[in-house]
Every structure is written in C-alpha cells, then in structure tokens.
Amino acid sequence: MNVVITGANRGIGLELVRQCRSRGDVVHAGVRAPVHAAELTGLIRGAGGRLHVHTLDVADPASVRAFAMGLPGPVHLLINNAGVRSRPDELSDLDGDDLTRTFQVNAVAALRVTVALLPQLRAAGGAKVANLSSNLGSIADNSWGGAYGYRMSKAALNMATRSLGHDLKEDGILAFALSPGWVQTDMGGSEAPTAVDTSVAGLLAVLSRLRPEDSGGFFDFEGKCIPW
Ligand code: NDP
C-alpha cells in the first residue's frame, strides 16, 4: 500500500511513518524542511527503499503543486496530519492573523492537498483520505468554550470531510475525520493521557476497518463515532 503522510517530521506524523513503514507500506512523508527532519530521514536507512521524504509546506499552494507533480501514483491512503494549534487562543487575546493561519493550515490545506492528489487517489481504486481532526472540533462536545482558532479550524475540516465523503463517492475514494485523542506530542504536551504509539496504532486499525458506508464520518482512535 502507498501512503502519503503530511507533517511527518515529529509527533503523530512521525509515528505514523514508523508504524506504516513497519507494516510494509511504501511511505511518502511530506515535511516543511527535510534538512531539519533528522529523526525522519534517519528512518530511510533500513526502510529498503520504502520511505521517501519530500519537501511539503501544506500552507503554500506552489509547494503542494510541486509535491503532487513529483508523486508517483497510485496513493491508497492519504493522511492529512499537518496541523497547528494557535496559542493563546482565548477570547481575551485573540489574534486575527493567527486565527487565519490556523484556519489555512488545519482546514484549507488539507483540502488543497486532497484535491492536488486526486489523480493518484483515483488511480488506487478504493483509496482512503484521513483528515486528522480533534474532539475540540466537535460542536456537540463543546461544553467549556475557548480554543477559538483551533476549534473553528477543525470544525471546518470536519465539514470539508463530510462533503468529500459525498463528492468522492463516485471515484471510490473514502474520506474520514479522525480524532487521535489527547496525545503526548509537542502539541498535546506531556500531561496528555495517550502515548503517541497507542494513538497511532488505534488510528491505523480504525482506518483499516472503516467501510464505504462510514465515509464522511467522524471517529476517534478507538473507532467510536464522534458527534458533530
Ligand atoms: P505537533 O505539533 O507535534 O506536530 C505538528 C506537525 O505538523 C509537525 O510535523 C509540523 O511541522 C507540521 N506542520 C505544521 N504546519 C505545517 C505546514 N504548513 N506544512 C507542513 N507541515 C506542517 O502536533 P501533533 O503531532 O500532536 O498533531 C498532529 C495532528 O493531530 C494535528 O493535525 C493536530 O491538530 C491533531 N491533533 C493532535 C492532538 C494531540 O493531543 N496531540 C489532539 C487532537 C488532534 P514543523 O515541525 O515544520 O512545524
């Protein structure tokens, strides 16, 4: 299986690369700056030619175009993992530019990468697109407020996923919004209850179980359906 993972130099993205590589996938890892991705590039040795590292800034349309043009098909699984969490993100100190940047990276860029890779996804005949969302993107689950830019961007990503589920049906491409839980990464912090390997193992297991009738849905890393 050929897998594309964005934001692959650290955190959940890097662990996705590790676990996909271990199970025998051919992995195309997109990172902003390969020269600063030593942990990722260190995995190339021992990957038997199955790990390819590409320059990819998902927020830069020219970078996404160049990445797509250089990517061989088919792509069986696209994981739109790259994301940012704006801080501070509370009502008292909102920053408009930061809000816009968060929206661009977390929502617009995932859609842009998906559209750019449609030829490779179509070529797979039954590809899956996984958008890394968050429980904080659930409107139904928002019981304490705050996290404006992050919540808004992930809610928008969820809506994009829902539409992709409809629009890509005829191409046989399935789309899912997945929440990894609260995970120990730079973004999640050390107090997060879920280890990154546990979250990623769960995400990959859920992805392999999801079926056409689940497309456009929102699931957590244990497979539970999350309310919008
Ligand atoms: P990290 O902050 O640890 O890593 C974020 C990754 O995204 C980095 O590799 C970063 O690259 C990359 N990235 C950011 N902007 C861009 C860009 N413009 N182009 C390419 N890559 C970019 O986050 P996590 O690993 O924790 O999160 C991964 C995903 O999971 C995100 O979408 C996040 O929102 C989501 N998530 C995480 C949770 C958690 O608890 N950790 C909870 C819920 C959702 P660089 O090093 O260049 O900045």
Side-chain angles (χ1 to χ4, degrees):
M1 176 151 82
N2 300 332
V3 181
V4 171
I5 299 164
T6 68
N9 55 306
R10 59 190 168 98
I12 292 170
L14 180 62
E15 183 62 22
L16 281 164
V17 173
R18 282 206 188 91
Q19 294 194 22
C20 286
R21 192 194 74 146
S22 296
R23 70 181 188 182
D25 296 338
V26 173
V27 180
H28 293 275
V31 297
R32 279 200 274 207
V35 285
H36 296 129
E39 235 179 311
L40 173 67
T41 52
L43 297 175
I44 293 175
R45 204 178 316 129
R50 285 183 286 109
L51 173 57
H52 307 274
V53 176
H54 305 259
T55 301
L56 174 62
D57 181 339
V58 297
D60 175 0
S63 175
V64 173
R65 268 196 307 275
F67 171 70
M69 283 181 66
L71 191 73
V75 169
H76 304 93
L77 174 60
L78 163 63
I79 305 180
N80 285 307
N81 164 77
V84 291
R85 172 114 194 231
S86 37
R87 290 184 204 272
D89 200 15
E90 303 309 317
L91 198 56
S92 51
D93 41 24
L94 288 180
D95 178 301
D97 290 343
D98 203 31
L99 267 171
T100 305
R101 187 180 70 92
T102 303
F103 187 78
Q104 282 290 339
V105 175
N106 291 357
V108 179
L111 197 52
R112 179 186 293 129
V113 172
T114 304
V115 170
L117 296 193
L118 276 179
Q120 290 92 331
L121 291 164
R122 287 191 181 112
K128 292 179 177 173
V129 176
N131 292 327
L132 264 285
S133 182
S134 166
N135 287 64
L136 294 180
S138 166
I139 293 170
D141 262 8
N142 184 350
S143 49
W144 69 92
Y148 280 81
Y150 192 72
R151 282 190 189 279
M152 289 161 66
S153 68
K154 294 296 187 181
L157 177 65
N158 288 350
M159 182 58 90
T161 308
R162 187 77 180 172
S163 284
L164 286 171
H166 292 296
D167 291 337
L168 300 182
K169 196 182 251 172
E170 281 190 6
D171 290 314
I173 301 169
L174 313 182
F176 308 102
L178 297 182
S179 168
W182 181 16
V183 189
Q184 291 154 14
T185 62
D186 292 339
M187 187 185 291
S190 55
E191 287 176 14
T194 308
V196 68
D197 56 341
T198 305
S199 169
V200 166
L203 289 170
L204 292 176
V206 168
L207 264 172
S208 63
R209 289 200 301 270
L210 289 171
R211 297 284 163 251
E213 54 272 27
D214 302 314
S215 190
F218 185 18
F219 303 92
D220 73 8
F221 72 107
E222 294 173 321
K224 288 196 282 287
C225 198
I226 303 176
W228 298 114

